[in-house]
Amino acid sequence: MSDAPADSKARRSVAAVPVYTAPPPSVPRVELVEPAIATVRVPPRDARAIRVPAGHLLRILSVEGPQVGDLNLFAADNLSERFFSGKTRALHGTHVTTGDALWSCFPYLRPMAQIVGDSLDWYGTDEWGCRVHDVIGTRCDPYTEKMLSGRDYHRCCHSNLTRALSNAAALSLEEAEGHVHDVLNVFMCTGFDADGRYTMKASPVRPGDHLDLLARIDLLAVLSTCPGGDCSAGHSSDDAPCYPLEMQVLRPEGALVEPPAPSAYDRSHGV
C-alpha cells in the first residue's frame, strides 16, 4: 500500500451524495383473477421461458424448497431491448423490492416491469449487511468456472438461460447467448463484506414465497434455477440441494396499464 498524502484525511472526509434522486414509487393496487392463465415450472439446474402480456403479472413462486433464480427480461417483440441491471441498481439500489422498477437497456431506458409484491420484504438488511433480490451479481457461467476450476460445467445459469432462450425464440445457441444478460437474482441473499467483496448466504425463501412483477410492456421472461440451490455454499454445484421454481402469469382486474414509451432522447449524441 502506498503512503497516504498529507491531505488524506480531508479527502476521505468529503460526504457522499446520492447519484440519482428518484421520485417515491407509486405502487398500483393489483387485484388478481385466479387461477393463473399460464404456468411454467422450471426444473432444478435448468431454465424456461414464458411470455407475459403488458398489464399482466409475472409471479415467481417457490414451490418445494429454498431455491434462488436468475431472471432475464426481454421486450417480447425485440430481444435487443432487455433488462439493464446496472441502471436499475443506480436508480434503486443494490437490491430491489416492492415499488422498484426493472429498467430496460439503452436506447430504450423505460420500466419493463414493476415489483408490486414481495413476500420477503420483511427481511430487510441483516447483521451481515445482506438483503434479498439483488442486481449486483451477474450469473454463474461456464467461462468463470473453466478459469477457476478447469472443468466444463453446463448447468450454470448462463448456459441454462442460453438454452431456454434458444428454444423460446428459435435461435441458435450462439445467437441466443449474445442476448443473455446480467440478471435479477430472485430470492438470493447477498451483500458486501468489509473488503468490498460480493458475499452470499442461505436464502430465506421458503415454499409459498413469491415475487410479483407487473409487466409494463409485453415481456419474454427467462428464469434459471441456480445450481447453487439456496446459495448457502457456492455456485455451479452438483451437490447442493436444488428445487424447481414456478413462473405464473396472472391477470389483474380492471384496465391494463399504458405501456411506457421508450426514452425520448433524440440519439444525436451532440453531432
Side-chain angles (χ1 to χ4, degrees), residues 27-62:
V27 184
R29 183 177 177 83
V30 178
E31 299 291 341
L32 298 175
V33 177
E34 303 282 355
I37 63 174
T39 299
V40 170
R41 180 165 285 214
V42 187
R45 298 184 177 86
D46 211 340
R48 293 291 186 271
I50 196 168
R51 293 183 181 272
V52 189
H56 287 66
L57 198 86
L58 171 64
R59 171 166 288 175
I60 300 174
L61 179 67
S62 171

Side-chain angles (χ1 to χ4, degrees), residues 61-81:
L61 179 67
S62 171
V63 289
E64 290 185 10
Q67 176 66 44
V68 309
D70 285 39
L71 180 68
N72 268 189
L73 292 177
F74 302 89
D77 59 353
N78 176 18
L79 295 182
S80 295
E81 183 176 5

Side-chain angles (χ1 to χ4, degrees), residues 189-268:
C189 191
T190 59
F192 293 99
D193 67 13
D195 295 319
R197 294 173 299 193
Y198 182 48
T199 58
M200 63 187 185
K201 58 181 291 189
S203 174
V205 67
R206 297 294 183 269
D209 282 320
H210 54 88
L211 186 70
D212 292 344
L213 308 176
L214 180 64
R216 299 293 307 277
I217 61 175
D218 292 339
L219 293 175
L220 174 65
V222 190
L223 180 69
S224 169
T225 48
C226 183
D230 69 356
C231 286
S232 58
H235 285 130
S236 303
S237 168
D238 284 329
D239 300 320
C242 289
Y243 302 93
L245 293 171
E246 273 190 4
M247 291 188 289
Q248 300 177 348
V249 177
L250 296 156
R251 180 171 60 86
E253 290 184 336
L256 301 183
V257 296
E258 184 71 21
S263 171
Y265 177 61
D266 65 10
R267 302 185 69 184
S268 62

